[in-house]
């Protein structure tokens, strides 16, 4: 099977997964014991108003009919109208998604930049003090609850020491850069607003570190484990027997094969960061999709919940597809399995 055939097959499976997500999410949002119409008009609304609103939203039709209409609208790029704010869900996502993408990308960069070197050092210095420090760091990252770490860092670095800014994307005295991508730091960079860029990056440090710490621990442990396994292979012993330096053995011979499991973790991590940023966004007052999803679920805003779930599923699936393609590129044997 060629790489192109493999890519087409994986893309087809991805489309099937997204379709399955729409079906499961649609059914689940309609079987929960909550009435979105009552949540919209209030508990004390007259029955005729409830029925009229239910008809306007199309919620009085049979469930299969509602799903077919949902798929038809979806095919035309229509995610529906939010019950809570009467705005198109696509417009809400366009407003909130960039902030989450910005935060998740920064968190993933933190995880990669710290996690991979820490895993390599831990494997190279196995059972010595650098290894112990890296393992303790990774264990702490995978064990600490996000809300506790967020409150701890806010209390120390913002309240006590004042070395980093608190919640929000910008200082209240900093002018918001022109809207280009919706990501404040990127917009400031594109607009050449260096003061806003510096302020946005400083505000990004704490939430990105908090959100990325768990993934940093995972990447550290995965890189360490896979590199230790590769370093025991015969071809590595052969390279050492030929007098190749240990630095070249690790970086040129062992690391590429050792990174295969780590690539998988990184791909899954990005999807997890997007969907798992609810607590971080709430604590740091980050106007992202996590807070939007939480408010939508609380208000039984079914179109918004479906829209958020679909977007996250698509991003998650695309990230996995990219990982599969990269995996097949790094290890051609994958294409034939």
């Amino acid at each position: 099977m060629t790489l192109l055939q493999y890519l087409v097959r994986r893309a087809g499976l991805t489309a099937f997964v997204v379709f399955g997500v729409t079906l499961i999410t649609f059914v689940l949002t309609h079987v929960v014991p909550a009435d979105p119409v009552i949540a919209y008009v209030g508990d004390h609304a007259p029955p005729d108003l409830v029925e009229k609103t239910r008809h306007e939203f199309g919620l009085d039709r049979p469930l299969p009919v509602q799903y077919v209409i949902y798929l038809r609208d979806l095919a035309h790029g229509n995610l529906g109208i939010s019950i809570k704010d009467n705005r198109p869900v696509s417009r809400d996502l366009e407003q909130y998604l960039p902030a989450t993408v910005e935060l998740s990308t920064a968190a993933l960069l933190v995880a990669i930049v710290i996690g991979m070197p820490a895993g390599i050092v831990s494997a190279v210095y196995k059972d010595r003090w650098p290894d112990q420090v890296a393992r303790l760091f990774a264990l702490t990252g995978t064990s600490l609850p996000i809300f506790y770490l967020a409150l701890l860092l806010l209390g120390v670095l913002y309240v006590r020491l004042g070395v980093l800014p608190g919640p929000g994307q910008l200082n209240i005295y900093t002018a918001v850069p022109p809207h280009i991508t919706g990501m404040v730091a990127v917009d400031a960079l594109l607009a050449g607003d260096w003061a806003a860029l510096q302020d946005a990056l400083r505000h990004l440090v704490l939430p990105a570190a908090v959100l990325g710490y768990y993934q940093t621990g995972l990447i550290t442990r995965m890189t360490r484990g896979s590199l230790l396994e590769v370093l025991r292979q015969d071809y590595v012993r052969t390279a050492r027997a030929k007098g190749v330096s240990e630095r070249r053995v690790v970086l040129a011979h062992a690391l590429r094969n050792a990174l295969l499991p780590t690539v998988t973790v990184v791909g899954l991590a990005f999807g997890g960061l997007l969907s798992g940023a609810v607590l971080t966004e709430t604590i740091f007052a980050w106007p992202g999709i996590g807070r939007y999803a939480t408010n939508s679920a609380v208000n039984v805003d079914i179109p918004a919940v479906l829209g958020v779930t679909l977007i996250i599923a698509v991003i998650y699936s695309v990230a996995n597809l990219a990982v599969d393609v990269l995996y097949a590129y790094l290890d051609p044997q994958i294409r034939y399995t």
Side-chain angles (χ1 to χ4, degrees):
M1 183 183 297
T2 65
L3 182 60
L4 179 61
Q5 291 173 322
Y6 177 80
L7 180 61
V8 170
R9 192 184 72 170
R10 294 299 303 166
L13 290 174
T14 299
F16 181 76
V17 168
V18 173
F19 171 75
V21 168
T22 65
L23 178 60
I24 294 172
T25 310
F26 187 86
V27 172
L28 289 179
T29 52
H30 284 77
V31 298
V32 293
D35 191 338
V37 177
I38 296 296
Y40 178 68
V41 298
D43 293 334
H44 304 291
D48 57 337
L49 176 61
V50 173
E51 292 307 316
K52 180 182 178 183
T53 306
R54 193 183 306 281
H55 178 72
E56 289 176 353
F57 288 135
L59 296 176
D60 56 345
R61 300 179 181 180
L63 200 57
V65 175
Q66 292 184 44
Y67 183 63
V68 171
I69 294 174
Y70 171 69
L71 289 182
R72 183 198 63 191
D73 293 341
L74 201 60
H76 292 85
N78 181 8
L79 296 176
I81 303 297
S82 169
I83 295 176
K84 180 173 178 290
D85 56 18
N86 279 326
R87 294 206 318 164
V89 174
S90 57
R91 187 177 300 173
D92 286 343
L93 294 178
E94 184 181 343
Q95 176 183 343
Y96 293 109
L97 185 60
T100 298
V101 172
E102 181 181 39
L103 176 59
S104 300
T105 303
L108 188 61
L109 286 176
V110 169
I112 293 174
V113 169
I114 298 177
M116 282 190 180
I120 295 171
V121 170
S122 181
V124 171
Y125 294 95
K126 181 176 179 292
D127 294 334
R128 285 182 274 178
W129 71 265
D131 179 32
Q132 303 295 343
V133 172
R135 291 168 66 183
L136 178 61
F137 174 76
L139 181 62
T140 305
T142 53
S143 304
L144 271 181
I146 283 183
F147 75 91
Y148 178 77
L149 179 64
L151 296 176
L152 179 67
L153 292 182
L154 269 176
V156 174
L157 299 178
Y158 170 56
V159 178
R160 290 281 184 181
L161 303 178
V163 295
L164 286 173
Q169 289 183 292
L170 288 172
N171 192 297
I172 58 174
Y173 300 109
T174 303
V176 178
H179 182 93
I180 301 175
T181 65
M183 294 180 276
V184 174
V186 176
D187 289 348
L189 178 64
L190 294 176
D193 189 344
W194 308 119
L197 176 61
Q198 182 182 8
D199 193 27
L201 292 178
R202 292 188 74 237
H203 276 81
L204 199 53
V205 171
L206 275 182
V210 169
L211 186 60
Y213 192 18
Y214 178 80
Q215 306 299 341
T216 304
L218 282 183
I219 291 176
T220 300
R221 297 179 68 172
M222 182 61 70
T223 304
R224 178 185 185 275
S226 57
L227 185 56
L228 282 175
E229 185 176 346
V230 172
L231 288 175
R232 299 189 192 101
Q233 300 293 321
D234 290 339
Y235 75 92
V236 174
R237 294 196 189 97
T238 303
R240 285 171 172 159
K242 288 181 178 178
V244 178
S245 66
E246 187 64 19
R247 179 188 181 90
R248 185 171 175 78
V249 167
V250 173
L251 297 180
H253 293 270
L255 189 57
R256 175 170 175 169
N257 290 331
L259 285 181
L260 289 175
T262 306
V263 168
T264 304
V265 171
V266 170
L268 295 176
F270 188 66
L273 289 171
L274 285 173
S275 57
V278 176
L279 279 176
T280 308
E281 290 181 356
T282 302
I283 294 173
F284 288 95
W286 201 264
I289 201 172
R291 292 178 65 193
Y292 176 69
T294 303
N295 293 331
S296 301
V298 170
N299 291 286
V300 204
D301 191 348
I302 290 178
V305 172
L306 289 174
V308 171
T309 307
L310 178 65
I311 288 298
I312 290 178
V314 169
I315 295 176
Y316 209 98
S317 300
V318 171
N320 275 281
L321 177 61
V323 168
D324 287 342
V325 173
L326 184 59
Y327 217 103
Y329 171 74
L330 294 174
D331 185 1
Q333 293 182 352
I334 299 295
R335 305 175 206 169
Y336 301 100
T337 60

